[in-house]
Amino acid sequence: MFADATHSKTKNDECLDVGLELCPVCGDKVSGYHYGLLTCESCKGFFKRTVQNNKKYTCVEHQACTVDKTQRKRCPFCRFQKCLHVGMKLEAVRADRMRGGRNMFGPMYKRDRALKEQRKALLQAARSSLKSSLPPPPPPPPPHRGFSLSCGLQADPLPQPHPLLPPSSSRLPQHQSPSVLDWSVKAEPRSSFTSSDPGGLRLPPLMMEFLRCDPDELQLQSRITARLQQEQQRHASSSSSSSSSCSLLCIMADQMLCSIVEWARTSFFFKQLQVSDQMKLLHHSWSQLLLLDVVSRQVLCGNESRLLLITGQEVELSDITCRAGPTALSLIQRGQQLVEKLLKLKADRQEFACIKFLILFNPDVEDVVDRGFIESVQEQVEGALLEYTLSSSQVLGRFALLLQCVSELQSLSSLTESYLHSRHLSARVCCNNLLSEMLHARQSWTGALACA
DNA sequence: CTAGCCTTGACT
DNA sequence: AGTCAAGGCTAG
């Protein structure tokens, strides 16, 4: 089966192996195996200099600086830490500085290549099983022409923050370890394979990176709660009637969207994209990410009969369904089915963190400049998710089932988006915010151009 | 210091 | 002879 793959390696294959891979330290293009694994040329050189010259660095922050292509020069301490963390080998740097030849890692590189080939085949298998199990492909989202995501996607630092983005949000401490990112709404987390887990389940480095990008749930909760209270007060003082629960929900969704944009904007890999590509990706995925946020909260901390909101409040599902129209009702039911499916799979926070990136880095989005990069990020994410699901459950089927859930989420979000759009047009609720901007996308092309 | 390009040499 | 991961060199 794989017999000829090892010998007759075409140039094309090599591009797939090396050219498209991304450095696990900084995300730059990989140039080959260096000191134990595939890395870019610059991290290879950095690692060599550091070890050869026995350099000692110190971090002026909290030893958790972001290390990516644009910021790798900023903190050599954290860069070196990351080199070690992802598995670069000190022993591969030669004490005698002998040039050329081979070292003891040769066989390891060979095994790694074989493993990657195998993984690629597994991915293909999972993809094709997904295709055959889901006959109708998810309908494409309504045609967008652009929107003024400029509120969140301008270059760092934000010159003019979105009026709804609290000023502190861009200055959250970057050094939060996954352990502080607990979903502390409910007492018992379903599962957590943190790196400190003595059980020994290894978390792929990329997954650690994704978890680090996850926003702090508690901070978000208090921020959005405050915003909602503010709105309620505003209504109480300006008119006799209190604000409707619908408009509060819209504000909540709008705030969640802002946090999604903020999450993306500060995330590993995404930062490397041009603003125009960032906008296209977010434009294509916002409703999926929003839905995933609701669904994952429900799966991780929720209660069967109640919908858990970002504010920590719980709403009886029956209260919602009895007021919903037929379309909304079927959407809610499909959402519930998806939650149940994910509960059965015992999807965890690590997997949701991966899935968010999987959704965001969609290489099928039209007219992106950096499609190659987006493709390779998606491949890396799929690889990390596959590795994780294999190590935690030993069943390949679980990975395919997770992908199936993602696919269901995509089609459900597309339907929800259309539904909200029609509601939005007819009722003209919730104006002047990011949510309505997204829904009105086709009309606000001019705003999008402002950030070019 | 950084990072892209160059040279080397054991292994196939 | 070709491959490719070591170390080396050097502009910026």
Side-chain angles (χ1 to χ4, degrees), chain A residues 146-200:
Chain A
F147 61 101
S148 48
L149 259 182
S150 44
C151 63
L153 290 182
Q154 283 287 9
D156 215 0
L158 294 173
Q160 274 293 317
H162 188 280
L164 294 182
L165 278 180
S168 62
S169 65
S170 55
R171 271 177 231 116
L172 294 179
Q174 290 196 321
H175 57 274
Q176 301 198 325
S177 64
S179 56
V180 233
L181 301 175
D182 280 333
W183 295 67
S184 24
V185 183
K186 204 182 170 189
E188 279 186 18
R190 190 169 304 280
S191 74
S192 59
F193 304 117
T194 56
S195 56
S196 59
D197 186 357

Side-chain angles (χ1 to χ4, degrees), chain A residues 46 63 76-86:
Chain A
F46 171 77
Q63 309 199 341
F77 178 90
C78 291
R79 188 182 188 181
F80 189 58
Q81 288 300 301
K82 196 165 177 191
C83 286
L84 294 173
H85 176 251
V86 300

Side-chain angles (χ1 to χ4, degrees), chain A residues 305 315-330 332-333 336 419:
Chain A
S305 63
V315 184
E316 285 293 337
L317 269 169
S318 53
D319 284 355
I320 306 175
T321 49
C322 72
R323 280 187 249 172
T327 314
L329 185 63
S330 86
I332 293 168
Q333 283 168 343
Q336 268 181 286
Y419 169 74

Side-chain angles (χ1 to χ4, degrees), chain A residues 365-391:
Chain A
V365 172
E366 279 174 25
D367 293 329
V368 285
V369 179
D370 223 341
R371 189 179 310 282
F373 177 73
I374 295 167
E375 263 167 17
S376 60
V377 170
Q378 200 197 45
E379 251 171 57
Q380 301 256 109
V381 180
E382 280 180 337
L385 186 60
L386 176 63
E387 190 186 327
Y388 179 78
T389 52
L390 282 177
S391 73

